[in-house]
C-alpha cells in the first residue's frame, strides 16, 4: 500500500534548499525587485550624487534593498574604488580600561553607518611596536588612523610618508604638532567640581591631585583656582597635595589632611583617589558627607555610583571624544587644531553642606 504521508526532504535536498535560502543577495536581485537597471541600483546604493536619479526611483531602490536585506560587498567595493573602508585605532593601554574604552566605541558608532569598520590595535609602550603596527596597517590600506590613550598624555606617533588622515584622541605627539587633537576639557571639569564644592558652603577645602606636572592635574587645578576666585575665596587658602592617582595615594594624603587643620571637603584628582579619601575618612572615625564631603573626577564605571555614599564626581566625555574623532576622520574638510569636549558634573551623595563648626 503506497505511503501517502509527506516525507521529509532528503539531506541533499534540504542542503540545496538551505543553500538557495542563504544565497547572497546581489545588486541584480535588488534591481529586479525595484524594476530598475543594475547600474541604477549601484548609483543609489553608492550615493552617486553626480548621476541624476529621480527621488521616487531612489526610494524604490532603497526599499527593495531593505526588503531583501541586501548588504554590499565592501571588499569588492573597495577594490573597484581603490578606497579603504577600514579605520585603525592605535590604542595605548585603553582596551583594558573600561571607561577609556568608550573612545573606541564612539569611533565605531561614528564610522559604521558610513560602511566603515573599526580595527583596534593595542600596542605596547615602545616606539618600535607603534612604528611596526602603523606601517603594517598602512601597507594593508586604511582610511585613517586614530591614536588614543587612557589619559591626556604625550605619545609616540609613527613617522610615515603615506597620505593618511591622522587624529589624536586624549593624547598628542611632539612629532605631529599640526595633527588634529581631541581632548576633554579638564579645566572646565575641574572648575565645575570646585564651584559645586564652594557653592555648597565649603571654605576649608583641600585639593588632592595627581602628579604636579601631569596635564590633567594642572588643568583641573587651574579650574579650581578660577572657581575659588569666582566664589570670593583666596585660591591660596585652598591647600594642595599631590599624589599618583591611585587609591593608596588618596588614602595617605587624606589621612594626613584630616589629622591637621581638618577640612570640610576634599576635592580629589580622580575617583580612585576619592575611594582612598573615603577609606581615610572612615579610618579617622568621620562620616561622609556629615563631617567631610568628597568629590572625585572621572565617573569611573562600577565605582563612582556604587560607593556609600555614591560619589559626586565629573564624567569624562570619552564616548563623545570617540564620536568626534570618527566624524572628523570622515569629514570632507581637513580637520585642524585642538577640540575640547566638555565634561559633565555628576552630583551624588558624597557632597553636602558643611556642619556649623563655630
Amino acid at each position: 500500500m503506497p505511503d501517502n504521508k509527506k516525507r521529509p526532504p532528503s539531506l541533499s535536498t534540504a542542503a540545496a534548499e538551505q543553500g538557495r535560502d542563504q544565497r547572497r543577495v546581489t545588486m541584480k536581485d535588488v534591481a529586479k525587485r525595484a524594476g530598475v537597471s543594475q547600474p541604477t541600483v549601484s548609483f543609489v546604493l553608492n550615493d552617486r550624487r553626480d548621476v541624476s536619479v529621480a527621488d521616487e526611483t531612489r526610494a524604490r531602490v532603497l526599499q527593495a534593498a531593505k526588503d531583501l536585506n541586501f548588504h554590499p560587498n565592501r571588499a569588492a567595493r573597495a577594490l573597484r574604488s581603490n578606497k579603504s573602508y577600514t579605520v585603525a585605532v592605535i590604542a595605548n593601554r585603553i582596551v583594558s580600561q573600561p571607561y577609556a574604552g568608550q573612545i573606541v566605541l564612539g569611533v565605531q558608532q561614528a564610522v559604521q553607518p558610513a560602511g566603515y569598520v573599526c580595527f583596534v590595535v593595542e600596542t605596547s609602550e615602545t616606539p618600535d611596536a607603534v612604528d611596526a603596527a602603523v606601517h603594517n596597517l598602512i601597507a594593508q590600506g586604511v582610511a585613517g588612523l586614530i591614536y588614543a590613550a587612557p589619559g591626556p598624555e604625550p605619545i609616540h606617533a609613527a613617522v610615515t610618508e603615506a597620505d593618511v588622515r591622522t587624529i589624536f584622541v586624549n593624547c598628542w605627539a611632539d612629532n605631529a604638532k599640526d595633527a588634529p587633537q581631541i581632548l576633554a576639557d579638564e579645566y572646565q571639569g575641574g572648575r565645575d567640581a570646585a564651584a559645586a564644592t564652594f557653592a555648597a558652603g565649603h571654605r576649608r577645602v583641600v585639593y588632592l591631585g595627581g602628579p604636579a606636572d601631569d596635564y590633567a592635574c594642572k588643568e583641573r587645578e587651574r579650574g579650581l583656582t578660577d572657581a575659588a576666585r569666582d566664589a570670593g575665596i583666596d585660591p591660596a587658602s585652598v591647600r594642595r597635595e599631590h599624589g599618583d592617582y591611585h587609591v593608596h595615594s588618596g588614602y595617605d594624603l587624606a589621612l594626613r589632611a584630616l589629622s591637621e587643620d581638618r577640612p570640610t571637603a576634599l576635592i580629589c584628582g580622580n575617583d580612585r583617589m576619592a575611594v582612598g579619601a573615603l577609606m581615610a575618612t572612615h579610618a579617622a572615625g568621620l562620616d561622609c558627607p556629615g563631617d567631610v564631603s568628597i568629590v572625585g573626577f572621572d565617573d569611573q564605571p562600577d565605582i563612582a555610583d556604587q560607593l556609600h555614599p555614591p560619589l559626586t564626581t565629573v564624567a569624562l566625555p570619552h564616548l563623545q571624544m570617540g564620536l568626534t574623532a570618527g566624524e572628523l576622520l570622515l569629514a570632507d574638510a581637513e580637520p585642524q587644531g585642538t577640540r575640547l569636549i566638555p565634561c559633565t558634573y555628576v552630583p551624588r551623595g558624597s557632597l553636602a553642606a558643611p556642619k556649623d563648626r563655630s
Side-chain angles (χ1 to χ4, degrees):
M1 185 173 182
D3 185 0
N4 294 324
K5 292 183 180 179
K6 185 176 181 180
R7 298 179 180 274
S10 65
L11 289 177
S12 59
T13 303
E17 290 178 353
Q18 186 178 23
R20 284 197 298 272
D21 291 341
Q22 294 183 353
R23 180 179 63 83
R24 186 181 185 90
V25 177
T26 67
M27 283 192 182
K28 185 179 294 185
D29 298 319
V30 176
K32 183 177 180 180
R33 187 178 184 89
V36 299
S37 67
Q38 185 173 331
T40 299
V41 172
S42 178
F43 295 150
V44 172
L45 297 183
N46 288 303
D47 201 25
R48 287 279 303 277
R49 297 293 175 172
D50 58 320
V51 179
S52 178
V53 178
D55 291 342
E56 187 274 334
T57 301
R58 185 179 298 275
R60 199 162 69 246
V61 170
L62 293 175
Q63 186 60 49
K66 181 179 179 181
D67 293 343
L68 294 175
N69 196 26
F70 173 72
H71 298 289
N73 187 328
R74 297 295 180 190
R77 179 179 171 186
L79 287 172
R80 288 194 300 271
S81 63
N82 195 29
K83 177 180 179 181
S84 172
Y85 287 88
T86 301
V87 172
V89 178
I90 311 302
N92 185 357
R93 312 185 319 279
I94 71 171
V95 172
S96 60
Q97 301 283 344
Y99 56 97
Q102 292 286 305
I103 293 175
V104 176
L105 178 60
V107 174
Q108 179 177 301
Q109 290 180 353
V111 303
Q112 198 168 27
Y116 291 77
V117 294
C118 185
F119 187 77
V120 182
V121 178
E122 176 75 18
T123 65
S124 65
E125 298 180 48
T126 63
D128 289 345
V130 176
D131 290 343
V134 170
H135 284 104
N136 284 337
L137 288 165
I138 291 176
Q140 295 179 38
V142 290
L145 297 171
I146 295 177
Y147 287 86
E153 60 188 14
I155 65 165
H156 170 79
V159 178
T160 173
E161 296 181 0
D163 185 20
V164 178
R165 182 172 289 184
T166 302
I167 296 175
F168 293 83
V169 182
N170 220 27
C171 58
W172 58 89
D174 292 336
N175 59 337
K177 295 183 182 297
D178 295 332
Q181 302 169 2
I182 300 171
L183 300 171
D185 195 341
E186 309 279 357
Y187 164 81
Q188 168 257 317
R191 187 169 184 164
D192 287 355
T197 305
F198 298 137
H202 293 278
R203 295 299 179 265
R204 302 166 68 88
V205 176
V206 176
Y207 173 71
L208 309 180
D213 60 349
D214 175 70
Y215 167 84
C217 180
K218 290 190 292 185
E219 287 297 293
R220 295 170 190 177
E221 196 167 346
R222 191 166 65 88
L224 179 149
T225 296
D226 285 350
R229 289 198 185 100
D230 292 343
I233 299 170
D234 180 4
S237 69
V238 180
R239 288 163 52 198
R240 325 278 174 110
E241 302 285 350
H242 294 96
D244 62 8
Y245 287 135
H246 292 294
V247 173
H248 71 83
S249 178
Y251 179 88
D252 292 342
L253 294 177
L255 202 60
R256 186 168 67 201
L258 294 172
S259 66
E260 297 172 357
D261 186 12
R262 177 154 65 87
T264 62
L266 299 171
I267 300 177
C268 301
N270 68 353
D271 290 348
R272 282 173 290 186
M273 291 187 74
V275 170
L278 182 61
M279 292 167 59
T281 299
H282 292 160
L286 300 172
D287 174 68
C288 174
D291 299 307
V292 181
S293 285
I294 298 175
V295 176
F297 206 107
D298 284 352
D299 196 26
Q300 188 165 342
D302 299 324
I303 291 182
D305 63 345
Q306 300 298 312
L307 295 175
H308 182 72
L311 184 64
T312 294
T313 187
V314 172
L316 286 166
H318 285 122
L319 181 65
Q320 185 58 52
M321 291 163 71
L323 285 167
T324 302
E327 292 166 358
L328 291 179
L329 201 71
L330 302 184
D332 293 333
E334 189 72 29
Q336 296 178 347
T338 299
R339 302 200 178 201
L340 297 178
I341 309 301
C343 299
T344 303
Y345 172 69
V346 183
R348 294 195 182 103
S350 67
L351 174 64
K355 288 182 178 179
D356 183 1
R357 299 182 62 193
S358 57

